Amino acid sequence: MTIEMKDILTFCCSAILFPLAWLMSKWLKIDFEGKGNPLTKAGILFSVNQMLYILIAMWALAAVPEKMLMVYAMIFGAHLMPFSWLYDSKSYLYFSIFIPIAALIIGLYFPPWVLAALMIVIEAIFSVCLQAECKRLK
């Protein structure tokens, strides 16, 4: 039960996600700040609160490093739930429930690489569902 470099890299790689999202929004010509939306502050609060939850993953890294990825995936999935209200989105709601449960089950019974692969697949499916939901709204 030692902390490995791959565990530290997980945290380091997640640090670039917000700047990467901002860059992608510029590339796709999306209003990242939501200047015209009065609920933008709520969205920012929903995102920033995940920084507090990351302390749980840091504890898991120190206490049970082999389960840190599972905890991290569960935190990620659960943090999507308030966005279901913000965006009035069924996709956010369903995935906010499915991801933590799937991460718990897979994380308990399979090696971390299986969970990582599953999360990549889930995120791809989630993206397609969000895109379809947006097209239906138009």
Side-chain angles (χ1 to χ4, degrees):
M1 290 212 316
T2 61
I3 298 173
E4 296 183 28
M5 191 59 157
K6 65 179 172 45
D7 300 319
I8 301 295
L9 282 173
T10 300
F11 282 114
C12 293
C13 289
S14 65
I16 66 168
L17 292 178
F18 188 81
L20 184 62
W22 181 80
L23 285 172
M24 286 186 70
S25 75
K26 294 296 180 193
W27 179 59
L28 295 170
K29 296 176 178 62
I30 296 170
D31 178 17
F32 188 78
E33 291 89 21
K35 294 176 184 114
N37 187 343
L39 295 176
T40 296
K41 287 184 182 180
I44 291 169
L45 185 62
F46 295 161
S47 297
V48 171
N49 75 355
Q50 191 171 2
M51 287 190 215
L52 297 173
Y53 302 150
I54 212 70
L55 297 173
I56 299 166
M58 290 175 153
W59 168 84
L61 178 60
V64 279
E66 66 278 2
K67 297 300 179 194
M68 187 274 300
L69 185 62
M70 176 187 74
V71 171
Y72 196 71
M74 292 169 66
I75 291 168
F76 166 75
H79 110 282
L80 297 174
M81 189 170 279
F83 291 101
S84 70
W85 167 80
L86 182 65
Y87 299 127
D88 193 21
S89 167
K90 298 275 189 229
S91 296
Y92 271 100
L93 179 62
Y94 297 149
F95 279 87
S96 73
I97 296 166
F98 175 73
I99 291 171
I101 293 169
L104 176 66
I105 293 167
I106 300 302
L108 286 176
Y109 298 108
F110 295 92
W113 70 265
V114 174
L115 178 58
L118 176 68
M119 287 304 297
I120 291 168
V121 171
I122 287 173
E123 287 309 303
I125 295 168
F126 181 44
S127 296
V128 169
C129 289
L130 286 174
Q131 187 176 25
E133 200 169 16
C134 286
K135 282 184 180 181
R136 275 194 306 271
L137 292 174
K138 289 181 180 180

